[in-house]
């Protein structure tokens, strides 16, 4: 019997529709967004990319070697309510400079 080739385990961001909730697809969408825009916050990741637990996907991307910085701040949700300690993630050198 011939050996079957395994599918590429890293999902392509262009081929991951929003209804694909696999970890690979969520990581690919998140990474593609960060590469294009430089940053994303928790609310945007959930709403725009259908990533339910952005912090978990960021953890996994970091484990794969991506340099992603986190800034915790106060942001408003879609209903205008303030939330404290909402994460905004920055890829590479896009992180804001914090005064010491």
């Amino acid at each position: 019997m011939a050996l079957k080739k395994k599918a590429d385990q890293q999902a392509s961001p262009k081929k991951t529709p929003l209804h694909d909730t696999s970890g690979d697809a969520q990581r690919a969408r998140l990474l593609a967004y960060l590469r294009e825009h430089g940053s994303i916050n928790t609310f945007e990741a959930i709403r725009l990319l259908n990533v339910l637990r952005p912090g978990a996907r960021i953890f996994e991307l970091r484990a794969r070697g991506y340099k992603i910085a986190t800034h915790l701040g106060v942001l408003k949700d879609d209903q205008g309510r303030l939330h404290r300690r909402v994460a905004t993630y920055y890829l590479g050198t896009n992180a804001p400079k914090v005064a010491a």
Side-chain angles (χ1 to χ4, degrees):
M1 242 177 138
L3 293 175
K4 290 184 180 180
K5 284 188 174 181
K6 270 189 158 182
D8 184 6
Q9 299 301 310
Q10 179 65 32
S12 166
K14 294 183 181 186
K15 296 180 182 179
T16 58
L18 290 176
H19 65 269
D20 186 346
T21 58
S22 70
D24 283 338
Q26 290 181 48
R27 281 187 298 276
R29 288 193 301 267
L30 193 53
L31 186 58
Y33 191 94
L34 283 169
R35 284 180 170 155
E36 184 175 341
H37 300 280
S39 69
I40 190 167
N41 67 52
T42 299
F43 296 146
E44 292 168 334
I46 293 168
R47 185 177 69 250
L48 301 175
L49 304 180
N50 194 27
V51 175
L52 186 60
R53 294 185 56 220
R57 302 295 82 83
I58 292 294
F59 177 84
E60 294 162 354
L61 287 171
R62 285 179 180 145
R64 292 176 183 207
Y66 293 98
K67 304 294 183 205
I68 300 172
T70 302
H71 172 73
L72 299 177
V74 178
L75 294 176
K76 287 185 181 180
D77 63 18
D78 292 341
Q79 289 75 40
R81 298 174 295 218
L82 286 176
H83 293 263
R84 289 168 181 25
R85 298 183 52 82
V86 178
T88 300
Y89 303 102
Y90 299 88
L91 183 61
T93 59
N94 293 324
K97 303 292 184 218
V98 179

